[in-house]
Structures are given as C-alpha cells and as structure tokens.
Amino acid sequence: MRAFVLLLVLLSACGGERSDARARATSACGLLPDAAVATAVTEYVKLASPTPQRFLFAATTDSGLPDPAVVALQNKGPTYFYPPDTAQRRKVRELLSSVGSYATLLVVRRSAPAPVDSQAVVRLGGHYVGGDHDGIAAPSRALHFTCSARTRQWRFMRAEEERQS
C-alpha cells in the first residue's frame, strides 16, 4: 500500500512538471501585443475588395482597434474616427461625402482571444460607409499568428475568410 501511495505521488509530480513545461511553452510570446493586431489590420485591408481609399475606426466600443492598429490604417490612407452617437456619425458621413465618393471602410475587431498552444487568432470585419458601396459588408476574416519559440515573437501566418452566421 505504501508503495502504491508513493507511486501516485511520483506520477502526480511528473504530471505537474509536464503541465508547467507546457505552460512555459505556450506563454513564450505572452499575450498577443497590439502591434500584432496592427499587422492583422494591415493584412485585412490588403484583402479588402473594393479597395478602400480611406478608413474609419470606432475606438469607444469593444470592437475598437488599439492605437497601433489605428496608425496602421493611417499609413494606408486618410482615417477618421466613427463615433458611437448617430448624430455625430451623420456629421462624419457629411464630411466624407463633401471630400468625394471614395470607398471608405470601417474596420472593427470581432475578437482577439488569448493565445492557445502558441497560436493566436485576431478576427476582423467591417463594412463600407458612404459612397457607392454604402452598407456593403466586408468579409470577416480570421488572421492567424504563431509564436516563434526561437525569437519569442508573434508572426503572422495566414488569413482566412469566415462565414457569416
């Protein structure tokens, strides 16, 4: 009986070490940084059709983009804040219309859950506002990242279109 208890203690200790090693491996890169979300936004915009010529972002909602992602949009073209208030949105639409009928894409974050097993996914979507493409939804996409154990940094791997339910 004593040997059995000793065996159980030994097995649970080994299992704990394995779990700790796995936890260290999956957290090598830590949480997905805002800079990676910015990379996801850049990749998302590359795939957008029609090609957006200016951008909108909504910062005050849970679908808002972090600052580095907004900078990524600004690097792609004129970028405007899209407020949550309907009256303020109307003013933004009027401003956009007065400048021209360009394809304007509102980019929103659908989710960016915690990484699992050295993999992370940022889900982005959006829709066109104003002009000829007003109200057209841009496809939701899952942008996949992997943690490089060697560099301990997140790397963009691929984008996949997600079906709307």
Side-chain angles (χ1 to χ4, degrees), residues 33-148:
D34 289 348
V37 178
T39 299
V41 165
T42 300
E43 295 298 326
Y44 179 79
V45 168
K46 283 181 189 176
L47 298 169
S49 181
T51 302
Q53 297 161 303
R54 55 189 180 190
F55 303 93
L56 297 169
F57 69 97
T60 58
T61 67
D62 47 343
S63 61
L65 301 173
D67 289 342
V70 173
V71 171
L73 286 178
Q74 290 170 335
N75 289 336
K76 292 299 214 175
T79 305
Y80 304 88
F81 173 66
Y82 200 57
D85 178 65
T86 305
Q88 294 298 318
R89 284 184 179 183
R90 195 170 14 259
K91 289 180 184 179
V92 170
R93 284 175 168 273
E94 289 170 6
L95 171 69
L96 293 173
S97 179
S98 72
V99 177
S101 183
Y102 300 104
T104 305
L105 180 61
L106 170 64
V107 179
V108 296
R109 181 168 39 180
R110 301 268 188 240
S111 71
V116 176
D117 294 333
S118 299
Q119 304 293 313
V121 178
V122 175
R123 288 183 166 78
L124 298 173
H127 66 272
Y128 291 87
V129 176
D132 297 337
H133 307 292
D134 189 38
I136 296 175
S140 289
R141 296 190 190 280
L143 298 112
H144 296 262
F145 290 80
T146 189
C147 174
S148 168

